[in-house]
Amino acid sequence: QVQLVESGGELVQPGGSLRLSCATSGRTGSGIAMGWFRQAPGKERNFVAGISTSGTTTLYGDSVKGRFAISRDTAKNTVSLEMNNLKPEDTAVYYCAARYTMSYSYVGRKESEYNFWGQGTQVTVSS
């Protein structure tokens, strides 16, 4: 089992930046691919970014490419999402997700590919 706790969400103005963190605990010794998803009010949860166990492979949703960056610190068991040039449409609850994998380069894009989820952190982009 893997436990995930997100932090860093808050109110930010359009054009601003924010850094989300996801702390992992539990059985983290095996290969774990990580991802960030988000869900806006009244909408389904969508893929934002993902990173492989090794950290060498990353994927991004089309709407955040060039603005968001995912990274991981294996020693600290954390995954971060750096968000720049934030827009009102980035407003959502952001969720951290994880899954065990034998592949060091695997990254999942779909909710169904992840087994463990955090409780979410609210990001609001508004002036």
Side-chain angles (χ1 to χ4, degrees):
Q1 291 289 325
V2 177
Q3 291 78 45
L4 307 172
V5 178
E6 304 95 334
S7 62
E10 61 181 64
L11 172 65
V12 63
Q13 292 189 342
S17 298
L18 206 56
R19 185 180 181 89
L20 304 183
S21 291
C22 175
T24 66
S25 61
R27 235 188 78 198
T28 59
S30 302
I32 298 177
M34 303 289 298
W36 285 95
F37 289 75
R38 68 186 183 186
Q39 186 169 22
K43 297 188 177 181
E44 59 186 26
R45 193 153 53 181
N46 291 322
F47 174 74
V48 175
I51 189 166
S52 62
T53 298
S54 64
T56 57
T57 303
T58 57
L59 293 176
Y60 295 93
D62 290 340
S63 62
V64 306
K65 281 181 183 177
R67 299 189 298 123
F68 290 13
I70 188 172
S71 61
R72 67 189 301 165
D73 186 330
T74 304
K76 295 182 179 179
N77 289 328
T78 59
V79 174
S80 298
L81 184 69
E82 185 74 32
M83 305 186 295
N84 299 307
N85 189 22
L86 283 161
K87 305 175 181 180
E89 51 264 41
D90 293 319
T91 296
V93 177
Y94 284 71
Y95 296 92
C96 180
R99 68 159 288 160
Y100 291 121
T101 175
M102 298 294 289
S103 168
Y104 281 95
S105 62
Y106 169 86
V107 180
R109 282 184 171 271
K110 301 177 182 179
E111 278 190 77
S112 58
E113 294 180 89
Y114 291 88
N115 307 111
F116 307 103
W117 293 84
Q119 293 299 306
T121 185
Q122 176 70 48
V123 172
T124 303
V125 184
S126 175
S127 55

